[in-house]
Amino acid sequence: MKRLHFTALSLGLLGSLVLGGSALAQPMLPPSHPPTAGLHAEGPAEDLSILDPSLPRGQFVIELVDASEQPLPGIVVEVTSQLESIAQGKSQDRLEQRTDASGRATFSDLAESLRTSHAVRVVHQGARYELEPFRMTEKGGHRARLHVYPVTHDLREAFVGLRGFVFIEQHDGQFAFDLAFRVINLSQTTWVPKDVFVSLPEAATPLELGRDRLESGFFAAGNRVELVGSYPPGQHDVRLQFQIPTRNRERESFELGLLPHLVELRVLAQRTPGLRLSIPGFDDSQTVQGPDGKAMLVARRLMQPGQNELREVRIDLSGLPVPGPGRWIACGLAGLMALGGLYWALRSRRAGGQELLVDRAEARRILLDELVALEQAWSARTIGPQTYEQARRELLQALARLEDAGRDTGTPGAATPAQAV
């Protein structure tokens, strides 16, 4: 874990919001347990993970200490050794040791192969602590020092503040939302969220939610998304992505429930000609240049002492691009082409039944090929849901017309939409 140096501004801002007259501080903790207990101004204590030539090869020694550098005995340390090999595939070995009276645990005979990495994990009081994976070498053993902290579910006791970023982009029939939160813990305790949620707008589909409640990030919880994991002293980033189908409207509004103790929130939208971004209670939107060089609209709110906590936001977008008549003309032409195909098939019937059978079989094959290509494009997410539904409906209607023509003429081999799909 890297040592973080917090500026006087960040300390003052978080302190005024958490301890001052803001609604963030209600209800206040009793004087016997003030939320400032254990506040650090220079960042958390630094963990250690290094090669140690004084240790025998293959040996790993880890020491667990608290915020005061005192040893922590009796805590289980788990070491997972993972071998990655093209020929042998992946395999894992898991070892456990409990720390002794000096807070140390020793693991021997760990593999030195370059294809084997070793990961360290400690779960204590419902919080998880980890070291960056390392590899053993022939130069000696490996030594680590890991800090483990008391756990709290109370944001004020942990002295936690958050900065939030909401990125919005419209493409291929979807509004793509990317939420990033920076969790800043200025205390000497680990915050484990409990019943902390983000409420998504209607019709939102979240992407890539976590499956392990011990892993820091977001976890599916009904129609809400829950923040889970462990947030020890320091700075931690979490991310949430979701999509909402567009409705081809010039104006859209999205209501989003936020995480608690937000110190700052910025909302950014990729700028298009005529687009306007408006958020009640926020500064007027400004045009900035994004990391990729594209123009972005950004609206910002910085919380001030005495303000109510920002727990929800309504994002208004206007001047959105709306498809012109060309799109509907294209759909009409597609329908005319389908009808035209049936017309030529019926003409062939008048010339002879055999020709009709050949033409209908060819038409059916083309339509089925188009359906397969459409399903592949939808699976690869190269088209949006509206394009998919519209094209699929047109193709199925064309197959239905082909079936009706077959019934009217008594020609065998008619395909039904159900058989086609």
Side-chain angles (χ1 to χ4, degrees):
M1 182 183 299
K2 295 181 179 179
R3 179 180 295 273
L4 302 175
H5 296 278
F6 298 100
T7 65
L9 176 62
S10 64
L11 279 170
L13 182 58
L14 282 175
S16 63
L17 288 174
V18 179
L19 302 177
S22 167
L24 298 180
Q26 302 299 328
M28 291 295 291
L29 291 174
S32 61
H33 198 174
T36 51
L39 175 66
H40 60 77
E42 296 185 354
E46 190 171 3
D47 294 328
L48 180 70
S49 181
I50 60 171
L51 167 71
D52 188 347
S54 68
L55 293 177
R57 291 174 54 176
Q59 187 174 95
F60 170 59
V61 177
I62 183 171
E63 180 183 12
L64 300 187
V65 295
D66 62 15
S68 302
E69 307 298 329
Q70 297 301 309
L72 293 173
I75 297 180
V76 174
V77 179
E78 179 184 288
V79 175
T80 300
S81 302
Q82 178 166 298
L83 170 66
E84 296 186 9
S85 170
I86 297 177
Q88 304 175 23
K90 292 184 179 181
S91 62
Q92 286 188 347
D93 290 323
R94 184 173 288 107
L95 300 173
E96 288 185 356
Q97 292 280 351
R98 193 175 293 271
T99 55
D100 59 20
S102 63
R104 291 187 177 88
T106 301
F107 298 82
S108 301
D109 300 325
L110 296 185
E112 298 177 5
S113 169
L114 290 176
R115 296 175 298 177
T116 302
S117 62
H118 307 283
V120 179
R121 183 173 79 162
V122 173
V123 177
H124 184 60
Q125 296 181 348
R128 182 164 73 178
Y129 305 87
E130 296 178 314
L131 292 172
E132 289 291 331
F134 61 90
R135 287 179 169 81
M136 305 296 292
T137 73
E138 71 281 357
K139 296 180 180 180
H142 200 91
R143 184 179 298 276
R145 185 180 179 89
L146 181 64
H147 290 80
V148 176
Y149 303 90
V151 170
T152 181
H153 300 297
D154 193 317
L155 273 166
R156 292 167 297 122
E157 186 176 349
F159 207 77
V160 167
L162 291 88
R163 299 179 64 201
F165 303 84
V166 179
F167 301 88
I168 309 172
E169 185 179 6
Q170 183 181 5
H171 60 83
D172 197 22
Q174 298 275 356
F175 287 103
F177 285 74
D178 194 342
L179 276 59
F181 293 97
R182 176 157 291 174
V183 182
I184 305 171
N185 184 346
L186 297 178
S187 73
Q188 293 184 0
T189 61
T190 294
W191 178 50
V192 175
K194 184 178 182 181
D195 298 328
V196 176
F197 299 92
V198 171
S199 298
L200 302 184
E202 294 183 3
T205 302
L207 307 175
E208 297 183 3
L209 294 178
R211 298 182 180 181
D212 183 354
R213 297 184 69 89
L214 288 176
E215 182 180 352
S216 296
F218 291 94
F219 191 86
N223 62 343
R224 298 185 295 177
V225 178
E226 183 179 4
L227 180 68
V228 296
S230 308
Y231 301 88
Q235 182 173 286
H236 315 272
D237 293 332
V238 292
R239 187 177 178 188
L240 171 63
Q241 295 176 296
F242 60 89
Q243 294 180 337
I244 299 176
T246 59
R247 296 184 292 180
N248 298 319
R249 296 181 178 180
E250 188 272 339
R251 181 185 297 271
E252 289 282 4
S253 292
F254 307 98
E255 294 185 355
L256 180 65
L258 301 169
L259 295 176
H261 276 214
L262 272 175
V263 174
E264 178 187 15
L265 181 65
R266 300 189 187 195
V267 179
L268 302 96
Q270 184 174 2
R271 184 172 183 177
T272 57
L275 182 67
R276 294 179 296 278
L277 169 65
S278 177
I279 305 175
F282 278 57
D283 299 337
D284 293 338
S285 62
Q286 306 290 329
T287 300
V288 299
Q289 186 174 1
D292 56 359
K294 296 181 180 179
M296 305 281 292
L297 288 176
V298 57
R300 175 176 179 260
R301 179 170 176 179
L302 181 66
M303 298 297 295
Q304 301 295 335
Q307 290 183 332
N308 291 329
E309 186 172 3
L310 182 63
R311 291 306 307 270
E312 59 183 12
V313 63
R314 190 187 80 230
I315 303 170
D316 296 323
L317 294 176
S318 58
L320 292 166
V322 178
R327 176 177 178 178
W328 310 115
I329 292 173
C331 293
L333 288 175
L336 289 174
M337 290 175 63
L339 291 175
L342 290 175
Y343 169 74
W344 285 106
L346 292 175
R347 282 194 57 184
S348 298
R349 177 184 60 80
R350 297 188 185 98
Q354 184 61 31
E355 292 181 15
L356 171 62
L357 181 61
V358 172
D359 287 348
R360 288 185 61 257
E362 179 65 14
R364 187 166 62 250
R365 184 189 65 78
I366 293 173
L367 290 173
L368 290 176
D369 287 346
E370 288 296 319
L371 270 174
V372 171
L374 179 67
E375 294 294 339
Q376 291 174 342
W378 170 242
S379 298
R381 294 298 188 267
T382 57
I383 59 174
Q386 290 183 333
T387 302
Y388 168 73
E389 292 293 342
Q390 185 175 345
R392 189 173 185 272
R393 182 169 58 251
E394 291 286 347
L395 291 170
L396 291 178
Q397 288 175 353
L399 281 168
R401 295 188 190 104
L402 201 60
E403 177 193 13
D404 291 340
R407 289 200 191 99
D408 293 341
T409 60
T411 305
T416 67
Q419 293 170 336
V421 181

